[in-house]
Amino acid sequence: MRRSLAGVALAVTSMVALSFLIPLGALVMSLVKEQSVTAAEQRAAALAPVLTLTTDPSALRESAAGLDESEHLVVHLPDAQTLGDTQAPAKLLERAQQGRESISQKTPGGWICLQPVVLPGDRVAVIENFVPDEELTRGVRASWAVMLLLAVGLVGGSVLVADRLGAKVVRSSKKLAQASHTLGQGNLDTRVEPMGPKELRDAGVAFNAMAHRMTELLAIERELVADLSHRLRTPLTALHLASERMAGTPESARVEAAVHALETELHAIIAAARTPLAVGPMGHGMRSAEPSTPRPAAGAEPAAGCRSEAAEVVRRRTAFWAVLAEQQDRPCALEITQEPTAVSLSDDDIAAVVDALIGNVFSHTPAGTAFGVRVVRTAQAVELIVEDSGPGIPEPDRALSRGSSTGSSGLGLDIARRAAAVTGGSMRIGHGPRGGAHITVVFALAPSQSAGRGPRGSRRRTGWWPPRKR
């Protein structure tokens, strides 16, 4: 932008300078020429009275030398005698004598002025004054040089002023852009100091008002989530009482376990919504010791200190879903490595991925469809694999887009993909051995774990994979 403003200033001032320089240069040249010719005519007119008084050659030479030291003043007497070196063409001289006409015109090498003088006896003498080309342009180049220097100074000054103004505008624009990027990355405390031109100051004030309003709206939204979650406690209490009345029945233990798990999740949601407003790696609210500390947004680098054991979280969440799987007669297999599986995500983020993937199995496959969950440790990553024996995913690439897959919002797969991307991993969707969906989420190991890899430990299996024959 600075270059553009400087270029505009250079172009405009250059055109203005040229529009003045060209006419001024021509005017100066015309004035110098006119002054030289006028001076020559005045010298010839000044010698005319002397010629009317005397025609003595010595007196005329002395008078001519006093009027013109350059010896360009010449007298042509009636008796064809010429006093000085003449430069006048014969035709012009004859025309001035016979026609008694004053002549002033351009000739080769300069400018000639002829002034006829009528003497007693009706005789005509002619006074000649020749002005060389050097005198016609004397001082013109110096005047042009001065005007050119002034024009260059004006152009340079205007470009410098435009550059300074452009730097001020660019500085204000850069600060506003940086603040916008910082706000987009999740630092809700970002503000700018309005500066620069009035328009940019207004933009800075509007940005601060927008950031403040965003913080307020997010806080209101989190409070609303907490309130709505709290309202779920009433039906949850009713379920808890119903499970107590079912005590002693075969279904009592399973219902009580499901109610307890739901209550735990509900408390976690309320606690997260009540924490100070912040944004974690996956966009969830998280607690921070200093509210003003910048926090990464979704898709950004993991938050410092955010770390959890992926295998343990997967084990807990799979155990939760196993209760519902048993009710729907779904064979469930769990295979987890015993090697360290620390990744740079919170327990809530990993749990959200597991819930999203297993939830898709329950939502998009019929009851009785078997599924399995595996956690595999590689040299640099932890792989979470969820597969089933259902119909599979017909368009894997399209399934990753929210709202684009048939019969699904695509939100669950997008949550898993973003969680993998936060750690520097990836996500793959394919077909399993039995034709069902085979989803692999790769989490990069936390920095302290990715340097080396210990010996592979054993795996523990719960449930069945492949599904039992019914």
Side-chain angles (χ1 to χ4, degrees):
M1 187 174 182
R2 290 177 59 182
R3 290 184 178 180
S4 299
L5 291 176
V8 170
L10 177 62
V12 172
T13 52
S14 297
M15 289 188 293
V16 173
L18 287 176
S19 65
F20 279 96
L21 280 178
I22 295 175
L24 283 176
L27 179 61
V28 167
M29 190 170 188
S30 176
L31 288 175
V32 171
K33 177 181 177 181
E34 184 177 351
Q35 290 177 356
S36 300
V37 172
T38 301
E41 292 175 350
Q42 289 176 349
R43 288 192 294 270
L47 186 60
V50 178
L51 190 59
T52 57
L53 295 176
T54 179
T55 57
D56 180 47
S58 59
L60 292 174
R61 286 193 179 93
E62 184 178 356
S63 299
L67 293 173
D68 186 9
E69 296 180 355
S70 59
E71 298 181 354
H72 292 307
L73 198 59
V74 179
V75 178
H76 298 273
L77 296 174
D79 55 1
Q81 183 180 3
T82 302
L83 306 178
D85 297 329
T86 181
Q87 299 291 336
K91 291 184 178 180
L92 286 180
L93 185 60
E94 181 180 359
R95 173 182 164 188
Q97 286 178 339
Q98 294 181 359
R100 301 179 181 182
E101 175 185 357
S102 297
I103 299 175
S104 178
Q105 69 178 43
K106 184 73 173 63
T107 59
W111 192 274
I112 192 74
C113 295
L114 298 178
Q115 178 66 44
V117 179
V118 179
L119 301 179
D122 200 25
R123 296 179 303 166
V124 178
V126 178
I127 301 174
E128 172 192 340
N129 197 353
F130 178 75
V131 183
D133 289 334
E134 294 80 7
E135 292 187 12
L136 292 175
T137 59
R138 181 177 300 171
V140 173
R141 293 185 179 180
S143 300
W144 284 359
V146 172
M147 289 189 295
L148 182 61
L149 289 176
L150 288 175
V152 171
L154 290 174
V155 172
S158 65
V159 171
L160 180 61
V161 171
D163 181 72
R164 292 297 89 199
L165 292 176
K168 189 175 181 180
V169 173
V170 169
R171 192 183 311 116
S172 303
S173 302
K174 284 184 176 179
K175 288 187 176 181
L176 186 59
Q178 291 172 356
S180 300
H181 288 304
T182 305
L183 181 65
Q185 291 172 358
N187 186 359
L188 302 180
D189 297 323
T190 301
R191 300 293 185 273
V192 296
E193 180 182 355
M195 59 183 298
K198 182 180 182 301
E199 291 77 9
L200 286 178
R201 292 198 303 270
D202 293 343
V205 172
F207 175 86
N208 291 338
M210 177 194 67
H212 181 70
R213 183 57 178 163
M214 284 179 58
T215 305
E216 289 183 346
L217 291 176
L218 287 174
I220 293 172
E221 181 181 358
R222 290 167 57 83
E223 193 68 23
L224 179 61
V225 170
D227 293 342
L228 293 176
S229 301
H230 190 273
R231 291 170 59 183
L232 293 176
R233 286 183 171 179
T234 300
L236 186 62
T237 303
L239 288 175
H240 186 72
L241 295 176
S243 67
E244 290 181 353
R245 288 195 298 269
M246 295 171 59
T249 63
E251 300 292 329
S252 176
R254 287 187 296 180
V255 173
E256 184 65 27
V259 171
H260 178 71
L262 181 58
E263 188 174 10
T264 302
E265 289 298 316
L266 188 59
H267 283 302
I269 293 174
I270 296 176
R274 296 292 187 181
T275 54
L277 184 61
V279 178
M282 284 290 294
H284 301 303
M286 55 180 288
R287 185 179 298 276
S288 174
E290 297 181 5
S292 61
T293 304
R295 306 171 181 89
E301 293 296 327
C306 187
R307 183 189 182 92
S308 63
E309 281 290 331
E312 181 61 24
V313 178
V314 173
R315 184 191 63 78
R316 292 199 308 265
R317 298 311 303 161
T318 305
F320 168 79
W321 285 98
V323 177
L324 183 58
E326 186 176 356
Q327 294 177 358
Q328 295 188 1
D329 195 22
R330 292 177 180 268
C332 172
L334 176 62
E335 188 177 342
I336 299 180
T337 180
Q338 292 185 348
E339 296 184 60
T341 56
V343 296
S344 299
L345 285 175
S346 66
D347 289 357
D348 291 340
D349 291 335
I350 299 176
V353 173
V354 177
D355 290 343
L357 297 181
I358 299 181
N360 279 345
V361 176
F362 280 79
S363 300
H364 302 290
T365 61
T369 302
F371 70 95
V373 180
R374 286 189 290 159
V375 177
V376 181
R377 163 76 185 270
T378 64
Q380 300 292 332
V382 175
E383 294 184 357
L384 169 62
I385 303 170
V386 178
E387 50 191 352
D388 61 67
S389 58
I393 301 176
E395 296 179 293
D397 295 335
R398 188 180 178 188
L400 290 175
S401 301
R402 294 191 180 197
S404 61
S405 56
T406 304
S408 172
S409 65
L411 179 60
L413 295 179
D414 186 66
I415 290 175
R417 180 189 59 79
R418 289 191 296 121
V422 165
T423 66
S426 60
M427 179 176 173
R428 300 188 300 272
I429 301 178
H431 296 282
R434 294 181 178 273
H438 184 94
I439 302 175
T440 303
V441 182
V442 181
F443 303 107
L445 286 170
S448 60
Q449 295 291 329
S450 60
R453 179 181 176 187
R456 176 177 291 276
S458 61
R459 295 173 179 161
R460 59 181 180 274
R461 180 188 298 269
T462 62
W464 299 89
W465 187 266
R468 295 170 294 181
K469 293 183 179 180
R470 304 178 61 185

